[in-house]
Amino acid sequence: MKNIKFYSTNLKAEVVDFKSALLKGLAPDKGLYMPKEIPTFTKEEINKFSQMEYYEIAFEVGRKFLHDQIPDADLKAIVKDAYDYEVPLEKVYDRKYVMRLDQGPTASFKDFAARMMGRLMQYYLDKEKRELLILTATSGDTGSAIANAFYGLDKIKVVVLFPENEVTNRQRKQMTTLGKNVQIIGLDAKFDDCQYLVKDAFSDSELDYLNLSSANSINIGRLIPQIVYYFYSYAKLRKSEDEEVIFSVPSGNFGDMMGGMFAKRMGLPIKKFIIATNENDEFPKFVKTGNYNKIEPSKNCLSSAMNVGHPSNLSRFIALYDGVMDETGLISKVPDMMRLREDIYSTSITDEETREMIAEAYKKYKLLLEPHGSVGWAGLQRFLQEYPEFDDELCISLETAHPAKFPEQIIDILDFDPKLPPSLEGLEEKEESYDKVLNNYEEFKKYLINNY
Ligand SMILES: *Cc1c(COP(=O)(O)O)cnc(C)c1O
C-alpha cells in the first residue's frame, strides 16, 4: 500500500502527512488538503465488502489512507467505537433505495464524519499531550454533530457559531444543552457570516496561541469517513459484481458528495452522481455553463443545512478534475468540464418542489423524507424523467437527517408529528445555554481572547 500525503488546493503550502492535515484543518495558504494520490481497491477487495459489517468497511477504507499513520489495531478500535449504530437501506420501488444516514447521536449524516474525526484527533492529542480549540460554524447539523462527537474529550475545547434564525429549535437544543468543554455562540446573521468569522480567526496570527483547528467539512478528517457509506450501500444492495450504481446526494458544502467522488476514484462502479441543491443553485449553473458565480448572501431555504452560496469543498471538487479554484471562488485553471459532466448531473430543487416531494413520496410509497432528503429524492426523480434509459439501474438516494428533526415542516405537509429516534428523546426538557456575539470580527476576536 502507498503512503498517502496531502497537498493544498491553493498549491502554495507544503505537502503534509495525515496527522498535520487533520490537526490543521485549513492549509496555511488557505487551500484545502487533498490526497496527492487516491488509493484504490481491487474488484476482489470490493467483493468482500458484501460480507462485512459497516465498521469493518470503515476500517478497510481508513486503512488505505492511514496504514502508515495509525496501527491497524488502533484504527480498528476507533472505527468500532465510532460506528455503533445502524445504516438502514430502505427499498422504495424496484431498484430504487433510500439510505438513511440518520441513526447517529444527532440524527444527521454529519455524525459519521464527526465521530470519526473526533476520535482521530483525540488519538493524536493523547499521544502528544497537546490541546486544541475546535472552532466551527454551523448551519445546524454540523455544530450539533461536532459538539456531540467532541463532548467530554479532555484535550479538546469546542466553540460553535450558528446563525440564530437559520436553525430549528431541535438543532439548536442539540448544541446548547451540552455544556462542559462545548461553548455555543449565536449570531444574528447568516451561516456564511459565521463561516467568514471562523475563517478570519484562522488566518489571524494573534490567535495562534489558541491552537485553533477546524471541524468544518473542510477538514480532510471528515471526508475520509464519508467515503465509507457509498461502499457499504453498494456492497449490500448490488445484485452482481458488474452492477453499477447511481447515487443522489443532497448537497450544500459538498463534503458528502466529495466522499462519493473519492469512492468512485477508489474503484466503486458509480455510473452517475446526482448532485441536488436547493435554490442556492450556483453549482448546477456552473455545471451547465462553466461559469461560476457564488450566491451572496445565500438563500434561506427549507433544507437549511444546504443554504450555501459558495460550497467550501468546491475547490476540492475542481481539483479532482484538474482545475484550480482558490478560496474566493476564482478559477485560475479550468477543470475538465467534459469529464465532469460525464460523471455528474446537477439540478436545483425549489422549496415548493421540496414540499411537494415530501407529500408525494409519502403518499406513493410511504417513504418519509425530511427537506434535505426530499431534495435528493426529487433530484433523482428528475434525472430519471430526463434520462429514462437509466430506469432499471440501482439508484441510492441519501437521506441526510431524521424527519423528526423537522417536526414543523412535516406536520405542515403530512399532518403528523414524526416519532423521535431514541437519540433525540428527552431533548425538549433539557436546559439551554449559549452566548451571543455581534457579527463583527473584532468583537468575536475579543470574545475568544477573553474566554480562552
Ligand atoms: C450538512 C448537511 C447536508 C449537506 O451536506 P454537505 O456535505 O455540506 O453537502 C445535507 N443534509 C443535511 C441534513 C446536512 O446536515
Side-chain angles (χ1 to χ4, degrees), residues 381-416:
Q381 297 306 312
R382 182 172 295 165
F383 171 76
L384 292 173
Q385 254 163 24
E386 259 176 64
Y387 299 94
E389 64 269 31
F390 292 104
D391 236 7
D392 298 330
E393 303 283 337
L394 171 61
C395 298
I396 305 172
S397 189
L398 275 51
E399 175 51 287
T400 46
H402 196 283
K405 290 185 89 168
F406 303 88
E408 295 91 352
Q409 283 103 325
I410 304 292
I411 292 170
D412 182 39
I413 300 164
L414 297 178
D415 231 11
F416 68 86

Side-chain angles (χ1 to χ4, degrees), residues 109-110 141 250-256 305-306 372 400-401:
F109 93 99
K110 301 235 163 50
D141 287 332
S251 292
N253 272 315
F254 292 169
D256 199 357
M306 305 189 330
H372 306 81
T400 46

Side-chain angles (χ1 to χ4, degrees), residues 107-110 138-142 171 217 222-223 226 229 249-258 276 303-308 311-313 370-373 398-402 405-406:
S108 104
F109 93 99
K110 301 235 163 50
T138 185
S139 53
D141 287 332
T142 303
Q171 283 177 323
S217 52
R222 277 186 55 191
L223 286 196
Q226 288 173 180
Y229 40 77
V249 189
S251 292
N253 272 315
F254 292 169
D256 199 357
M257 171 259 247
M258 279 304 295
S303 46
S304 57
M306 305 189 330
N307 291 340
V308 181
S312 60
N313 275 294
E370 53 69 59
H372 306 81
L398 275 51
E399 175 51 287
T400 46
H402 196 283
K405 290 185 89 168
F406 303 88

